[in-house]
Amino acid sequence: MPTEWAGHPAPGLVRSRLITSLNARPRSLGLVVAPAGSGKTTLLAQYAATVPGPVGWLRTVPSDAGPAQALARLDAALPDGERGLLILDDLHLVEGSTGESVLLDRALALTRDGLRVLVGTRRTPSVILARHEFSDSIVVDADQLRFRTWEVERLLRDVYREPLPADDVAALARRLGGWAAGLKLYHLSTRGQPLPDRRRAVAALGARSALSRDYLTRTVLAELVPSLRRFLVRTCVFETLTAERCDRLLGGGDGQAALEELERRQAFTVSHDGGRSFTYHEVLRAHLIAALTEDLGEAGARAWHARAGRVLAEEGAALEAARCFARAQRWPDVHRLLDAAGTAVAARGLDPWSDLLPAWFIAEDPWLVLADAQHRINEGQLAAAVPLLRRAEAMFGAAGPGADRCRQLRAAVTAWLPDGPNWRGHWSGWLRTATRRHPVVVVGEAERLTGAEDTLVRAAALLLAGHATEALRVLDRPVPADAGPVGLACRLLRAAAALTGGDPHASAAAAAVGLDADQAGLPWLARLARAVPALGGAEADLKEAAAVVEECDRLGDRWGALLTAGCAALARSLRGGPEVDEAGRLLDRARAVDSGALVAWAQALLALAAVRARLPDAEVEVRRAEGTARAAGVPGARVLALAAGVPAAPDRRSALSAVRAVAEQAGLPRAAVAAWLTPEPRPARSAPDSAPLTVRCLGGFRVCLHGEPLNWSPLRPRARAVARILAMYAGRPVHRDRLLGALWPDTDPAAATRTLHVALSSLRRFLDTRLPAGERETLLHRDGDAYLLALPSDAWCDVTEFRRALERASRRGSSRDPRALDDLRTAVAAYGGELLPEDGPAEWVVAERETLRRQAADAAARLAEAALRGVDGATGAEPAAAMAARCVEIDPCHDAGWRLLIAAHDRAGNAAAAEHARRRYADVLVSLGLDPSPIAGTPPAATVSADRRIPLPRSPRTASVRGRTSNGPPA
């Protein structure tokens, strides 16, 4: 066996929060303990890929139960050098043996000597629980390994490259419980299928799913004695299991011993309170509920669920009892228990009920309608919650706790909508007032609040005003552990304020808030926690923030999108940014939610961007920003506006002194003010920026007239979608049937056609009153049964520019023609990102999006190849590496791009960069189920076809391939 880990690539999604957890105490033993299929080996391999030094990997086998063989194999696996990493995987295979004890003793000794040691196992070894020497060990357990909803979304989008709509992602995460193996099995069973089929597969995930049946039977149930298996099946009716509940249901026995044994065996059974209560994993529980029906029959299973419901009702667990009675289809009992539980029904929204209750039952029960409204609020979909609250209130009647709760929630939600009333009947109303204007005034008035609510409102108002130092002082007050969402929000604000001051631990604190918010059923807060680290300015965090903005836009969370985009723009303002377009979009978002304080910040950021881009009207933007900040009472934004105006000030020294004095009074961090006072010049403006009308579809839809973005809010969503479709084919006719099939596929053709005509009419009026038509009468033309967007001759459209450049390059033929290479460069420059990302996996855009992405990657690869061969004007290894890196950034599955990138780094003599590229290339191959071994002999650039792609496999990796990596992490 090799003494050093050979760089086995780590497939799947790299989750930085888990890598960070293992890095918390590098000199402690690390344990990854979770049931089968949880992703233990994947995490260990991904962690190993981050280690710069040598790595040793020992996969334990049953024969290692003997101490002599165990130690001999361990010594052979030790990495060379003192500062490496040793991984012991599958330690559960020698559970309870002498070999297990000696391996752990040796691992602990190696850790003390400075070697990093990680252990992967299904069960916590008893020796670790019994001996205090192991008490300092770092443990990553099954709950930490569970995929959160946003991680499922990224896995499907970035790794499997088959995204799903947000609701389906949430359902998939909920029904599989974030189980890594379940997500992989889902992907394998749906790979290559169209979106409707993949969505149906999510809806069909249920009790006896073929995705999990064989896996669970083989890895969990087969290891249990019949009595334990029977115990599992009969007690699966409980969501939370206690010894008393199980004994009452079964009519006796030792439930505590059975539950503890199941937890010890890691049979998808966990306890979070020291053994007082237990839960079964959702996937296992669904499997067991189906097994219960097979054992008892339909009628018998319903009777058993009803029996469990009576046990729970007598105990006072009304909500869990109601769900048992729902499985028993005892609808009167469900209604009775929901009425008894009252407002607790809606605490977690509709998620606990959506898979259990029929739609007709949810629609007729006011508590469940209220729960649906709460679900929308938890998702940040405030406008969608209001009609549901009105409906629930009407169902409750004029009086009672349900109607009161509806009125209170509706008042709180309505205050956050544009032009909503000023309402201070709840702490959130005070916070909303601070977002409108004069946040410093709210700081003083909020002192009448108490506890964590006072802390949250005052700290948030101070941050809106720009006084980060004082906000940190307020947030340093202890917040009670049971403060709920208010406490989580305080912790997140604390992390945000600390990030602005450069605290290196603040990102980890924000990630911890995200996990707790996810656990509490607050996805809007979990998304913000993912966005806050962008304030640190790291490229990976800024990319994650962009993904969060896209996710918020898809879900309709306008405040989440605004705050996330604001974090990214503020971070870029400290590093030479932001771009004018980015600041303009942020301003539009702030205006759309009627937030005067955030409008002031966005206007100041736009002024800074205009100055740094050397726009001719930059001084006007500065004056406008300073006036907006004064009127809104936001001193921090005023400082930013004044700082942006310093380069054009007649007396620069006096202007600098004035800015620093105002900044000191406002309480802004000095580092931020210094960064704003150092504008970085931008490159000369490109041709599209000089065009009076620009239309962008790549990287996001945006239409600008003389640099000012067009406000599309007056149009209805369907009319805006028609505009996007016509823009992506600007200058080309789009047939009516294509528009109908894209936007109204399930609507009666006659009704759909009428709706299309209404959308086109409103779009034509909108464009004609806002945009120049040039020599034509209108921009929107009809050509028989087709429609087209006819742009003026002096307009610029990125998709049109991209296509024309590629067509010119194709006509020129040889890639040795300098003019063809110039055309390819134009195409790559025009490709600003995915086509219309805001439309997600909509079927009408996916195919064209993939075509343009593939063409852009091919163009970049051809430019890299030309640079390596010396036929390009910008020849050499460095330009080739830059263009090859751009190629694999656009298309991570571009085989030629990876090989050209490796060849360019080798040509430049940069061995470390070449090896890093090989590892990343291997990661991609393994994630696709392909053998990564051929990359060791990557061919020279001369033998690479610039449009070559990694072929997708037709089936999972074969056993022969897996066998070649038997001493490393399995595929």
Side-chain angles (χ1 to χ4, degrees):
M1 189 175 84
T3 59
E4 183 173 316
W5 184 61
H8 300 284
L13 180 71
V14 178
R15 295 183 280 171
S16 58
R17 63 179 179 85
L18 298 178
I19 304 295
T20 301
S21 296
L22 290 174
N23 272 330
R25 293 194 300 275
R27 296 187 65 84
S28 296
L29 184 68
L31 296 169
V32 182
V33 185
S38 297
K40 301 182 296 297
T41 300
T42 296
L43 173 60
L44 293 172
Q46 290 172 343
Y47 183 86
T50 68
V51 174
V55 178
W57 192 296
L58 174 64
R59 291 183 62 200
T60 309
V61 295
S63 59
D64 290 333
Q69 175 171 322
L71 285 176
R73 294 187 71 231
L74 178 64
D75 289 340
L78 286 175
D80 296 330
E82 297 180 354
R83 298 294 176 184
L85 169 67
L86 174 65
I87 292 177
L88 304 179
D89 200 9
D90 292 340
L91 191 65
H92 56 274
L93 294 177
V94 292
E95 180 185 13
S97 68
T98 309
E100 179 190 53
S101 297
V102 299
L103 284 173
L104 286 171
D105 283 337
R106 184 68 189 281
L108 185 62
L110 290 168
T111 299
R112 289 171 175 169
D113 290 341
L115 184 69
R116 185 76 168 107
V117 182
L118 299 180
V119 176
T121 179
R122 292 185 186 175
R123 293 175 280 278
T124 304
S126 56
V127 65
I128 286 181
L129 298 175
R131 290 169 49 184
H132 75 277
E133 297 99 315
F134 293 96
S135 60
D136 192 43
S137 301
I138 296 172
V139 179
V140 173
D141 60 16
D143 184 65
Q144 290 169 277
L145 285 169
R146 175 176 62 85
F147 274 75
R148 274 48 182 183
T149 303
W150 70 84
E151 293 171 335
V152 174
E153 193 269 341
R154 289 175 55 198
L155 178 73
L156 297 174
R157 183 193 67 211
D158 298 339
V159 179
Y160 297 153
R161 307 190 73 160
E162 291 185 331
L164 285 172
D167 288 346
D168 292 305
V169 171
L172 182 64
R174 183 176 67 250
R175 291 170 182 170
L176 293 179
W179 184 40
L183 293 168
K184 180 68 173 178
L185 291 169
Y186 165 80
H187 168 63
L188 292 175
S189 69
T190 60
R191 183 169 57 192
Q193 295 182 8
L195 177 62
D197 291 347
R198 288 185 277 119
R199 297 189 68 183
R200 280 192 287 272
V202 174
L205 283 175
R208 210 56 169 169
S209 171
L211 295 177
S212 56
R213 181 178 60 245
D214 295 340
Y215 194 97
L216 291 172
T217 300
R218 184 176 68 254
T219 61
V220 179
L221 302 180
E223 298 181 358
L224 302 179
V225 297
S227 60
L228 267 183
R229 182 190 177 280
R230 183 180 185 279
F231 180 88
L232 267 175
V233 172
R234 295 304 173 95
T235 58
C236 70
V237 290
F238 293 130
E239 297 170 12
T240 301
L241 300 101
T242 64
E244 181 182 0
R245 286 181 179 181
C246 295
D247 293 344
R248 289 182 62 196
L249 178 68
L250 299 174
D254 190 352
Q256 187 68 30
L259 291 168
E260 289 176 354
E261 176 63 13
L262 289 169
E263 184 190 30
R264 189 191 69 78
R265 289 175 171 270
Q266 281 287 318
F268 283 71
T269 306
V270 297
S271 173
H272 298 292
D273 56 9
R276 291 189 295 275
S277 65
F278 299 80
T279 57
Y280 298 149
H281 192 283
E282 282 301 313
V283 173
L284 175 64
R285 187 164 177 253
H287 176 81
L288 295 173
I289 287 172
L292 179 70
T293 303
E294 290 181 358
D295 290 353
L296 303 180
E298 291 282 352
R302 286 198 295 269
W304 192 257
H305 282 291
R307 176 172 175 161
R310 288 191 293 273
V311 169
L312 293 166
E314 292 169 5
E315 186 183 301
L319 293 181
E320 190 176 347
R323 288 190 280 272
C324 278
F325 281 119
R327 291 189 183 278
Q329 298 182 16
R330 300 274 291 271
W331 308 122
D333 289 313
V334 178
H335 275 305
R336 173 177 55 81
L337 288 164
L338 291 178
D339 286 337
T343 55
V345 176
R348 290 295 296 265
L350 203 58
D351 280 352
W353 307 99
S354 56
D355 291 336
L356 284 177
L357 300 174
W360 64 264
F361 189 93
I362 294 173
E364 72 177 22
D365 189 283
W367 291 111
L368 294 174
V369 176
L370 174 58
D372 193 5
Q374 185 66 62
H375 170 77
R376 308 296 177 128
I377 294 170
N378 293 346
E379 284 285 0
Q381 300 166 351
L382 303 184
V386 173
L388 290 169
L389 290 169
R390 286 200 177 99
R391 183 177 162 206
E393 184 180 345
M395 295 170 72
F396 279 121
D404 291 343
R405 179 61 176 160
C406 288
R407 280 190 288 270
Q408 182 187 34
L409 268 180
R410 185 158 56 86
V413 169
T414 305
W416 285 85
L417 298 180
D419 301 320
N422 286 318
W423 180 76
R424 297 192 182 186
H426 186 259
W427 63 264
S428 63
W430 290 83
L431 185 55
R432 173 58 168 136
T433 301
T435 69
R436 285 197 162 102
R437 57 180 56 229
H438 298 291
V440 177
V441 174
V442 176
V443 173
E445 294 177 344
E447 290 183 349
R448 67 188 72 175
L449 297 173
T450 58
E453 296 172 356
D454 168 57
T455 299
L456 174 61
V457 171
R458 295 183 68 210
L462 285 165
L463 286 174
L464 284 168
H467 209 320
T469 306
E470 181 64 15
L472 271 173
R473 190 187 66 79
V474 171
L475 290 164
D476 281 338
R477 300 173 184 171
V479 175
D482 59 351
V486 175
L488 290 174
C490 285
R491 287 168 51 197
L492 187 58
L493 281 182
R494 177 73 175 77
L499 272 164
T500 63
D503 186 342
H505 305 294
S507 290
V513 173
L515 296 178
D516 291 344
D518 181 71
Q519 192 75 27
L522 299 169
W524 70 270
L525 189 59
R527 288 193 294 271
L528 281 181
R530 292 161 52 200
V532 160
L535 288 168
E539 192 58 39
D541 292 330
L542 290 169
K543 185 177 180 181
E544 178 66 13
V548 172
V549 170
E550 181 182 334
E551 188 177 336
C552 289
D553 284 338
R554 285 202 308 269
L555 290 169
D557 180 6
R558 299 171 78 179
W559 279 96
L562 168 62
L563 294 173
T564 300
C567 287
L570 189 61
R572 290 192 175 97
S573 76
L574 306 177
R575 295 159 182 83
E579 298 290 344
V580 174
D581 283 353
E582 179 185 8
R585 287 193 296 269
L586 182 66
L587 182 58
D588 289 343
R589 292 182 186 278
R591 286 171 174 163
V593 299
D594 187 26
S595 173
L598 293 176
V599 164
W601 280 104
Q603 191 79 62
L605 286 166
L606 180 58
L608 182 68
V611 169
R612 288 177 170 175
R614 300 182 179 179
L615 298 186
D617 58 348
E619 292 184 35
V620 176
E621 292 293 350
V622 169
R623 289 195 297 272
R624 183 181 297 154
E626 204 268 339
T628 302
R630 276 182 181 274
V634 184
R638 181 168 175 255
V639 172
L640 174 53
L642 292 173
V646 166
D651 186 349
R652 194 168 185 274
R653 180 173 297 181
S654 298
L656 282 171
S657 300
V659 169
R660 292 190 175 112
V662 176
E664 191 72 26
Q665 185 178 4
L668 280 165
R670 291 183 179 179
V673 178
W676 292 335
L677 288 169
T678 314
E680 296 184 12
R682 291 290 185 208
R685 299 175 68 196
S686 59
D689 293 317
S690 62
L693 176 63
T694 61
V695 179
R696 298 181 186 273
C697 300
L698 297 168
F701 183 60
R702 186 170 175 79
V703 178
C704 292
L705 181 62
H706 300 298
E708 288 291 330
L710 198 62
N711 179 15
W712 294 87
S713 59
L715 282 178
R716 292 182 178 274
R718 287 302 186 192
R720 295 200 295 268
V722 171
R724 292 196 296 274
I725 295 176
L726 295 177
M728 66 186 270
Y729 295 107
R732 299 182 180 186
V734 180
H735 197 274
R736 178 186 62 194
D737 291 344
R738 172 176 281 188
L739 293 170
L740 293 174
L743 301 178
W744 296 278
D746 302 321
T747 306
D748 173 73
T753 302
R754 287 194 298 271
T755 308
L756 173 61
H757 288 162
V758 172
L760 287 166
S761 177
S762 63
L763 176 60
R764 180 179 286 110
R765 286 196 304 271
F766 176 82
L767 295 176
D768 289 350
T769 57
R770 288 166 173 81
L771 297 179
E775 299 175 355
R776 304 177 178 88
E777 294 181 357
T778 180
L779 292 175
L780 185 55
H781 282 238
R782 180 169 182 172
D783 183 7
D785 288 334
Y787 300 87
L788 74 151
L789 185 66
L791 298 176
S793 57
D794 57 353
W796 184 89
C797 176
D798 56 0
V799 177
T800 303
E801 181 79 0
F802 177 82
R803 292 191 179 111
R804 287 175 178 170
L806 289 183
E807 288 169 2
R808 291 195 303 269
S810 177
R811 285 196 302 269
R812 300 188 199 281
S814 172
S815 60
R816 293 179 177 271
D817 187 336
R819 295 173 300 170
L821 296 176
D822 287 340
D823 291 331
L824 292 175
R825 269 189 287 271
T826 299
V828 173
Y831 188 81
E834 286 193 343
L835 177 67
L836 299 177
E838 53 270 83
D839 286 295
E843 288 189 307
W844 55 265
V845 73
V846 167
E848 187 66 16
R849 180 187 292 157
E850 180 64 19
T851 297
L852 298 185
R853 184 180 62 80
R854 185 173 63 249
Q855 291 174 340
D858 287 347
R862 287 207 222 19
L863 288 169
E865 182 186 24
L868 275 180
R869 289 183 174 181
V871 299
D872 188 3
T875 59
E878 289 186 5
M883 199 52 71
R886 175 66 176 141
C887 172
V888 297
E889 177 189 5
I890 295 171
D891 183 1
C893 291
H894 204 288
D895 180 77
W898 286 110
R899 294 172 182 271
L900 287 163
L901 180 61
I902 294 167
H905 286 314
D906 283 337
R907 175 88 56 92
N910 193 340
E915 180 58 29
H916 181 65
R918 286 189 178 92
R919 286 192 178 188
R920 291 172 58 206
Y921 181 27
D923 288 350
V924 173
L925 291 173
V926 172
S927 71
L928 295 172
L930 295 171
D931 182 7
S933 56
I935 67 170
T938 305
T943 68
V944 178
S945 172
D947 59 356
R948 173 173 167 175
R949 272 175 180 72
I950 300 170
L952 291 177
R954 295 185 179 272
S955 60
R957 292 177 70 190
T958 62
S960 62
V961 174
R962 289 194 297 269
R964 288 199 290 272
T965 59
S966 60
N967 288 324

